[in-house]
Amino acid sequence: RPARIIGKVHGKPQRYAFVEPEDGVTEDVFVGGENLGDAMHRDRVEVEIVGRRRGNRMEGRVIRIVERAHEEVVGYYETVGKEARVLPAERKIWHHIYIPRKDRHGARGGDVVLARITEFPKEGRMPRGEIVEVLGKPQQEDIEIQVIIHKHGIPHEFPSEVMEEAAQCPAEVGEEQLMGREDLRGEPI
């Protein structure tokens, strides 16, 4: 069994994680919150195996962050006194992102925002960031779609040539396009 592995952090909202080894052979490694260091959900990390837990699952501790997964995070902007922070919409990212006054860019308490991480967590300190875009208020009709797009990195901006070609598509789907396909237009997806 390897003494160290490289893998991807799969954070849990309860502040622990499993690291999925890149080798595709080694079993996932449990990492308790106290052993995650400054790693965040989906970061690529090096883990030292420290033993086994009940059920014989390997347990480890993060010894190095190989590659960060998040440059931007979508979340909820909150002010507490003179301080401001973003609470990530992705519950597996438990680090709140501190936003200095100069980097708030018009965000107001309760806004749904896109924040760029400018300093990752280090030695237990909160990550720092800046507001890139105010997406809206939580009660807005389309805000959940915006949150999903940014949370999962779904492309949503396209070159003008693509938009022009899409505009030429018919608004209605003809019977000939449905031949040999299952019609799911009436289903909530």
Side-chain angles (χ1 to χ4, degrees):
R1 298 202 180 4
R4 293 182 177 184
I5 59 110
I6 304 280
K8 184 186 283 190
V9 174
H10 292 277
K12 302 295 177 188
Q14 300 85 359
R15 295 186 182 232
Y16 65 90
F18 292 96
V19 174
E20 178 184 5
E22 289 180 347
D23 66 14
V25 177
T26 308
E27 66 190 68
D28 289 358
V29 178
F30 172 83
V31 181
E34 69 281 0
N35 288 323
L36 276 167
D38 298 319
M40 296 173 71
H41 175 61
R42 293 183 21 208
D43 282 351
R44 189 168 170 244
V45 297
E46 183 174 4
V47 172
E48 178 179 61
I49 307 304
V50 297
R52 290 202 169 263
R53 293 178 52 83
R54 295 183 308 255
N56 213 24
R57 179 182 291 276
M58 286 193 295
E59 184 169 2
R61 70 180 175 89
V62 172
I63 57 173
R64 180 172 66 100
I65 296 167
V66 177
E67 183 179 359
R68 291 290 188 175
H70 305 279
E71 290 181 22
E72 295 181 338
V73 174
V74 65
Y76 305 93
Y77 183 82
E78 176 181 273
T79 57
V80 180
K82 293 184 179 183
E83 302 291 313
R85 61 187 176 191
V86 173
L87 285 60
E90 173 58 77
R91 292 182 39 223
K92 295 175 182 181
I93 301 173
W94 49 81
H95 296 84
H96 296 175
I97 301 156
Y98 171 74
I99 308 295
R101 184 176 300 277
K102 67 179 179 59
D103 295 323
R104 297 177 186 174
H105 306 299
R108 295 185 182 280
D111 285 345
V112 178
V113 299
L114 184 62
R116 178 178 298 114
I117 298 175
T118 56
E119 290 179 37
F120 285 94
K122 187 170 183 154
E123 299 169 2
R125 289 193 315 263
M126 288 173 80
R128 291 174 156 256
E130 66 176 325
I131 301 302
V132 174
E133 184 178 353
V134 175
L135 300 173
K137 295 286 184 193
Q139 62 273 20
Q140 275 180 231
E141 188 175 306
D142 69 336
I143 201 68
E144 283 303 312
I145 293 169
Q146 292 296 314
V147 168
I148 290 167
I149 286 170
H150 290 286
K151 186 169 148 182
H152 297 289
I154 299 170
H156 62 285
E157 295 177 356
F158 303 96
S160 59
E161 305 85 52
V162 172
M163 297 306 290
E164 288 168 13
E165 186 174 337
Q168 294 175 13
C169 291
E172 296 292 322
V173 177
E175 288 298 319
E176 63 278 359
Q177 283 92 16
L178 290 174
M179 301 261 312
R181 298 179 179 183
E182 186 176 353
D183 187 357
L184 300 174
R185 291 177 293 175
E187 300 294 320
I189 297 179

